[in-house]
């Protein structure tokens, strides 16, 4: 990986969960508990069936919410508010990461399959408030989730970014397929490397990777 690969980039797009904080924080585990409980209460099923349905929704539709909306006509507002009502106690500020993101030349945005209010809470807990120029949640994509290409098209049009001059940082490599097809540089942020045509770069340490871009 060289800085030259990013010399054309003027917009830096970051996923949120497991990208701007480490998986070890286990924040999403708290969300998953609330998701399962919500499915149980709303659909009247037990925990085992709720977990099976959530896996089905994730594999088929990209997210639990997308499956609930498409298969059951669920109102996304109350769902998003409920499942993201979790503690941020496992997150700690990361001033080094904040500094490296601030130093990136151009526009810096967050794009998550969660909702924007939740994203803002995560950013605050990580000491990243004010670091980004915009924060986009699933609501800004008309509740279409990544990896749906239409979701990216909607959010990127809203932001006004040019994909061929942008890069995407993401922990779920499925969510890099559409950005790659749009001409973006792609960075897979995950503990384990996966070799695939739609992944240009991999890192298990976002802070260290961004430091390399500064030379």
């Amino acid at each position: 990986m060289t800085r030259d690969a990013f010399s054309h980039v003027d917009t830096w797009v970051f996923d949120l969960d497991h990208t701007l904080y480490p998986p070890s924080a286990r924040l999403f585990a708290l969300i998953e508990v609330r998701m399962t409980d919500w499915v149980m209460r709303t659909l009247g099923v037990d925990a085992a069936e709720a977990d099976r349905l959530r896996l089905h929704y994730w594999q088929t539709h990209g997210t639990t919410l997308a499956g609930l909306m498409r298969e059951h006509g669920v109102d996304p507002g109350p769902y998003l508010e409920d499942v993201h009502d979790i503690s941020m106690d496992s997150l700690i500020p990361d001033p080094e990461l904040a500094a490296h993101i601030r130093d990136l030349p151009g526009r810096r945005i967050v794009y998550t399959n969660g909702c924007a209010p939740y994203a803002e809470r995560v950013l605050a807990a990580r000491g990243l408030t004010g670091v980004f120029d915009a924060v986009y949640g699933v609501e800004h994509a008309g509740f279409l989730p990544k990896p749906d290409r239409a979701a990216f098209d909607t959010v990127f049009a809203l932001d006004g970014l040019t994909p061929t001059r942008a890069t995407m940082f993401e922990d779920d490599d499925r969510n890099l397929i559409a950005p790659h097809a749009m001409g973006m540089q792609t960075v897979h942020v995950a503990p384990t490397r996966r070799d695939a045509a739609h992944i240009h770069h991999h890192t298990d340490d976002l802070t260290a990777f961004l430091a390399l871009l500064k030379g």
Side-chain angles (χ1 to χ4, degrees):
M1 191 279 292
T2 67
R3 284 177 293 163
D4 291 344
F6 296 86
S7 61
H8 65 293
V9 172
D10 63 16
T11 307
W12 309 80
V13 186
F14 292 84
D15 175 51
L16 183 76
D17 293 307
H18 295 176
T19 300
L20 291 176
Y21 66 83
S24 59
R26 295 189 56 76
L27 209 63
F28 203 72
L30 301 178
I31 294 174
E32 287 182 321
V33 169
R34 297 191 68 87
M35 285 179 176
T36 297
D37 182 66
W38 201 94
V39 171
M40 290 172 62
R41 287 185 285 109
T42 302
L43 301 185
V45 298
D46 62 19
E49 177 63 6
D51 284 335
R52 186 195 69 79
L53 286 171
R54 286 191 52 244
L55 178 61
H56 160 69
Y57 298 148
W58 184 81
Q59 291 176 333
T60 306
H61 303 287
T63 62
T64 298
L65 174 59
L68 287 167
M69 291 178 66
R70 292 168 184 170
E71 296 192 16
H72 304 282
V74 163
D75 180 356
Y79 169 88
L80 287 169
E81 183 176 356
D82 187 294
V83 302
H84 290 116
D85 184 19
I86 60 168
S87 169
M88 299 288 160
D89 289 348
S90 63
L91 298 180
I92 60 174
D94 191 337
E96 186 178 2
L97 176 60
H100 287 317
I101 295 175
R102 281 196 188 95
D103 287 342
L104 293 171
R107 186 169 173 79
R108 304 169 301 273
I109 69 174
V110 172
Y111 173 29
T112 174
N113 269 342
C115 59
Y118 160 72
E120 296 284 8
R121 292 178 61 217
V122 171
L123 295 178
R126 289 288 279 159
L128 298 174
T129 298
V131 171
F132 295 95
D133 298 289
V135 175
Y136 299 106
V138 68
E139 65 269 40
H140 294 102
F143 298 103
L144 286 174
K146 298 181 281 184
D148 193 315
R149 169 65 183 263
F152 289 96
D153 287 336
T154 300
V155 169
F156 293 168
L158 181 62
D159 190 75
L161 68 82
T162 301
T164 55
R165 299 185 61 182
T167 191
M168 180 91 197
F169 296 86
E170 169 73 57
D171 73 295
D172 186 344
D173 75 274
R174 297 181 309 163
N175 297 340
L176 293 174
I177 295 172
H180 175 268
M182 299 167 81
M184 297 177 73
Q185 282 286 311
T186 60
V187 183
H188 187 211
V189 183
T192 303
R193 177 185 296 274
R194 180 168 186 269
D195 293 322
H198 62 280
I199 300 173
H200 293 131
H201 311 278
H202 169 267
T203 183
D204 60 3
D205 186 333
L206 179 60
T207 301
F209 186 90
L210 295 178
L212 289 174
L213 297 184
K214 298 168 62 175

